[in-house]
Amino acid sequence: MHSLADLAYVRKARILFPGVLTSLTVAFAAKFLSEHYGAPVMLMALLLGMAFNFLVEDGGACVAGIEFSSKVLLRIGVALLGLGITVQQIASTGSEVLLITLCGVGLTIAMGLGLSRLLGHGPRFGLLIGGAVAICGASAALAISSVLPKSETLERDTIFTVIGVTALSTLAMIVYPLIADALDLSAVATGIFLGATIHDVAQVVGAGYSVSELTGDTATFVKLLRVALLVPLIVILSLVFSGSREAGTKRALPIPFFVIGFAALVIAGSYDAIPELVKDTLLSFSRWCLVVAIAALGMKTSLRKLGDVGGSAIVLICALTGILAVFALTAIKINLN
């Protein structure tokens, strides 16, 4: 006989199945468009998902699964990203590269907070956009959004940030190698510039290896160093906002489990505790979780609400992107080239 717990899991799975299947179908469609037409898979998943917003607005059978995909699968995907970084990589970083990376991230987030206030947005919006630009684009935006206090505008702001950083990252993938060439940067310096400034990992890889193998290797490593900074940022934000909880809600750990999982997987991957084949499989699964999550997030957002963000938000995200690029180029020219 089946236990009551087993029956509860079956009922829960049946409730989640329609929404999860829909999110997965949209993710497959986005992957197809990305592979055949060269469009960023995250952006395609987001836009396709937004076309199915009626599934959420109607309050039908898909709502629970879409909600699950946009939150639980997101956190699983972020946690598994830890397998792509090792302690040895971080430890072997030259002091100049480490300093440029840390200062670039810190400056971008600080400027995000300051400019957000100046442009009439709150500090949480500045944290969301600043963190996404500073660290790893769409993935960082999703992770930061998951620990910020819930509000009526949070999902709309997250969608805007994902669209913005993806579009600017794609543009940077084309333009930044040309800038590096015009400034006569070396292969290594170009890789540092690309890795320290382009928002999303895929675009960093594309830009780096379009220049040379050495540039690609350097850019990828510097980018992963930025991704590693997502852990302390999420921990800090979790602690800062741990008290910003509605009355009557259950108090959770100040540090989310997915952040602990990210850190644990960094350590496990660093000391070969996980076979290479398993690691590659889990990293691929991580990417799929993020694509499915962003498709679900798109379904939860309407274009009408997205337009409420305003032109000042576009100014903010473009300004932060430019500030990070100028800082990185200046630091590289002074210290490395």
Side-chain angles (χ1 to χ4, degrees):
M1 290 181 63
H2 295 290
S3 66
L4 291 177
D6 291 337
L7 293 175
Y9 279 123
V10 170
R11 284 196 296 269
K12 183 69 172 177
R14 285 177 177 172
I15 292 171
L16 297 178
F17 180 76
V20 173
L21 180 62
T22 303
S23 302
L24 185 61
T25 302
V26 172
F28 272 116
K31 185 71 172 175
F32 176 86
L33 290 173
S34 176
E35 291 177 348
H36 289 79
Y37 298 100
V41 65
M42 287 286 199
L43 184 59
M44 288 298 98
L46 186 58
L47 295 177
L48 288 174
M50 290 171 70
F52 290 88
N53 174 252
F54 66 89
L55 293 174
V56 174
E57 290 188 342
D58 290 347
C62 292
V63 173
I66 291 171
E67 189 73 18
F68 174 86
S69 298
S70 69
K71 292 182 178 179
V72 178
L73 292 185
L74 162 65
R75 296 183 178 197
I76 292 172
V78 172
L80 291 174
L81 285 177
L83 289 170
I85 307 164
T86 67
V87 174
Q88 292 84 350
Q89 285 177 328
I90 298 172
S92 65
T93 304
S95 58
E96 294 91 349
V97 176
L98 183 60
L99 191 61
I100 289 172
T101 304
L102 290 173
C103 290
V105 169
L107 174 67
T108 306
I109 293 174
M111 291 299 294
L113 287 168
L115 291 176
S116 181
R117 287 180 178 275
L118 187 64
L119 293 170
H121 297 278
R124 294 173 186 174
F125 187 67
L127 277 173
L128 184 62
I129 290 188
V133 171
I135 296 179
C136 55
S139 300
L142 295 170
I144 293 168
S145 174
S146 71
V147 297
L148 289 177
K150 299 296 178 256
S151 69
E152 292 182 359
T153 61
L154 180 60
E155 289 179 352
R156 180 204 69 189
D157 293 344
T158 302
I159 288 291
F160 168 81
T161 303
V162 169
I163 291 175
V165 293
T166 303
L168 289 173
S169 190
T170 303
L171 180 63
M173 180 178 66
I174 300 168
V175 174
Y176 283 10
L178 299 177
I179 293 175
D181 183 61
L183 294 175
D184 199 28
L185 297 183
S186 66
V188 172
T190 299
I192 294 170
F193 169 56
L194 299 177
T197 55
I198 297 178
H199 309 324
D200 287 313
V201 175
Q203 280 84 341
V204 169
V205 172
Y209 286 106
S210 71
V211 177
S212 70
E213 186 171 346
L214 177 59
T215 299
D217 290 342
T218 305
T220 302
F221 168 70
V222 174
K223 180 61 188 176
L224 290 178
L225 184 60
R226 285 168 69 197
V227 174
L229 296 176
L230 185 62
V231 173
L233 177 63
I234 295 298
V235 169
I236 291 169
L237 293 181
S238 299
L239 293 172
V240 168
F241 292 114
S242 61
S244 303
R245 194 174 301 279
E246 295 180 2
T249 58
K250 186 178 179 180
R251 185 173 180 83
L253 286 174
I255 302 174
F257 276 116
F258 78 92
V259 177
I260 298 172
F262 184 104
L265 288 174
V266 169
I267 296 172
S270 300
Y271 297 100
D272 299 324
I274 301 175
E276 198 65 30
L277 179 60
V278 175
K279 183 189 294 187
D280 291 342
T281 302
L282 289 176
L283 282 172
S284 178
F285 179 66
S286 166
R287 185 69 175 173
W288 269 109
C289 284
L290 293 177
V291 175
V292 173
I294 204 168
L297 198 58
M299 294 179 201
K300 294 169 64 179
T301 305
S302 67
L303 281 172
R304 178 179 53 82
K305 293 180 180 178
L306 191 61
D308 296 337
V309 180
S312 59
I314 299 174
V315 173
L316 175 60
I317 198 168
C318 291
L320 292 179
T321 299
I323 288 169
L324 179 59
V326 170
F327 167 80
L329 280 173
T330 303
I332 289 168
K333 292 293 284 185
I334 292 173
N335 296 292
L336 296 171
N337 205 47

